[in-house]
Structures are given as structure tokens and as C-alpha cells.
Amino acid sequence: IYAYRGDKLSRLVDRTSIEPRSATNYSGVLLVGYENGWAYFTSFGESVTLGRVRDDSSSIETLMDDSQPLPGETEPMGALNYASVDKGRILFEAAIEDNAYNLYVWDQGQVRVLARKGQLMESGTVLNVRAGLQSLSGTRFVCLLDTSRGEGDTFTRAVYLGDFGSKGSLAPLVKAQQQPSRPGWLKLGSAPIEVFARERSPGSSTNAPLVKLSDKP
């Protein structure tokens, strides 16, 4: 992670930086966001953490690591992917080994689950949940959910808006196995195809040749 100030580029975190809790070097980091003089990041390798570093590199802190199981899990966290930060809260994707990613929020040292595989929605059972970067604003967030009603191999992919801050509480939007009766989500839209960054397979729909659309509106 680098910071650019004036005409100077400085390095904040690299492989020589020490992760505070494990006292080991970072294998790699992914920038999450910048807020109030702190650059937030996730790390991978021997240290799977949520951390932050001062923009003058004077301090590195670990906010959460894999020493404790995530809510609803018995195994330690094996992967921590994209995250978003806003007003001190962090929305992030995490998974235990060989399992799908679930969606969580970190707030003042507490971690709560927001969406997970197997959850029941109005559109069916959640098969997959992803959030990406810049998905959080206050207590509202957006995420991509794949849901299925158990009809063969078909599933529905759509973007949802959620809010975990009703009356100041931090609670799951939909409890596991809750009946799908107006659970508090707002469906925003659908995604027509799966997208993979830098997919190189010959039949890739992501990197397929451009097709000129009709000039008609």
C-alpha cells in the first residue's frame, strides 16, 4: 500500500511490515479504503486479518484476525476477501476453508453475520453472496445474491440493498431458516452473466468479442 503526498510517494505496508498479533510478516494486502488518516486493508497468507495503517506509516493495527471463529462457525477463518469501510464500520466477505463466502460487519470490535449461504429469502435459498468494494454507506449496504428455489440447477442472481442499523441495533437481516416473508431486503436489479476478472478461457463470455448493438434506442 502506498500513499502519495505532494510530490512524494511513500510505502505504508509491504512484505517487510510486521502484523502486530502474529508478529509475522505480511504476505500481501488488499486496500479497502481510507478514512480519518487510516488506510484500511485485508491481508492474506500466514496472516488473515482486517487491519489499518496510519497514512504517515507511524502505526499499524490489527482489528480482527483468524484466531477466533466467525459467528455461526466452529472453524477459524480461512479467507478474507473484499471489504468496505464507512464511519469506522467494515463490511467484509469471509469464508472458512473450502466453504462459500458469507457477509459480515465489524463494528467497534464486534462481528455480526449479515448474509450467508443457506439463508432463506423471498427469492429462495441463498447459494452465494458477494459484496465487493465500496458497498457500505452508514448502516446500509449492497450485495450480490444468488438464490434458488430448488428447481434443477437454475438460480436467480440479483443486487440487494440491506440495512443492519434499525433502531441502532446490529442484527442479521434474515435469520437462518427464517420463513421468507418480507425479510427487509430491497431488490435493486439483476446481473445477466457471471463475470470473472481476466478470464482467459476460449469460450469466455466476459472477454468475448464486442458485438455491435442496434442503433435503435
Side-chain angles (χ1 to χ4, degrees):
I1 297 177
Y2 294 83
Y4 185 78
R5 234 184 249 99
D7 293 328
K8 184 179 179 182
L9 186 67
S10 59
R11 188 178 299 184
L12 302 183
V13 181
D14 61 14
R15 291 189 178 186
T16 67
S17 304
I18 302 297
E19 194 274 305
R21 295 189 185 179
S22 65
T24 60
N25 295 76
Y26 289 107
S27 298
V29 295
L30 175 67
L31 182 66
V32 171
Y34 177 81
E35 189 174 75
N36 298 328
W38 291 95
Y40 289 78
F41 61 89
T42 61
S43 71
F44 51 90
E46 291 190 25
S47 61
V48 180
T49 66
L50 278 173
R52 63 181 187 174
V53 57
R54 278 288 185 191
D55 59 9
D56 60 1
S57 69
S58 62
S59 176
I60 297 180
E61 296 182 1
T62 296
L63 304 178
M64 189 190 77
D65 62 13
D66 56 357
S67 62
Q68 296 292 329
L70 293 163
E73 306 289 354
T74 57
E75 300 295 326
M77 177 173 58
L80 202 163
N81 205 33
Y82 293 114
S84 306
V85 59
D86 187 63
K87 299 179 178 62
R89 300 184 182 96
I90 305 174
L91 179 80
F92 66 95
E93 304 171 1
I96 61 174
E97 187 175 359
D98 297 327
N99 275 23
Y101 282 96
N102 295 323
L103 191 61
Y104 303 86
V105 63
W106 181 95
D107 187 12
Q108 298 181 2
Q110 300 296 316
V111 177
R112 303 292 177 91
V113 62
L114 297 180
R116 70 181 343 142
K117 183 178 179 180
Q119 203 168 289
L120 291 181
M121 302 285 293
E122 288 181 311
S123 55
T125 303
V126 174
L127 303 177
N128 187 40
V129 53
R130 304 307 296 264
L133 297 170
Q134 299 181 342
S135 300
L136 177 67
S137 178
T139 60
R140 304 176 77 192
F141 65 96
V142 291
C143 63
L144 190 71
L145 295 179
D146 292 342
T147 58
S148 173
R149 295 187 182 277
E151 301 167 354
D153 296 329
T154 62
F155 66 90
T156 300
R157 171 167 291 178
V159 178
Y160 284 79
L161 171 67
D163 192 329
F164 58 83
S166 177
K167 297 181 180 179
S169 63
L170 272 173
L173 291 172
V174 185
K175 295 181 180 178
Q177 304 305 316
Q178 176 179 324
Q179 292 303 311
S181 57
R182 301 187 64 80
W185 294 78
L186 176 63
K187 183 177 178 180
L188 301 179
S190 300
I193 61 171
E194 294 187 0
V195 176
F196 298 92
R198 300 186 179 90
E199 185 182 18
R200 299 184 183 277
S201 58
S204 167
S205 56
T206 304
N207 294 338
L210 294 177
V211 177
K212 184 178 180 181
L213 302 177
S214 170
D215 292 333
K216 297 180 180 179

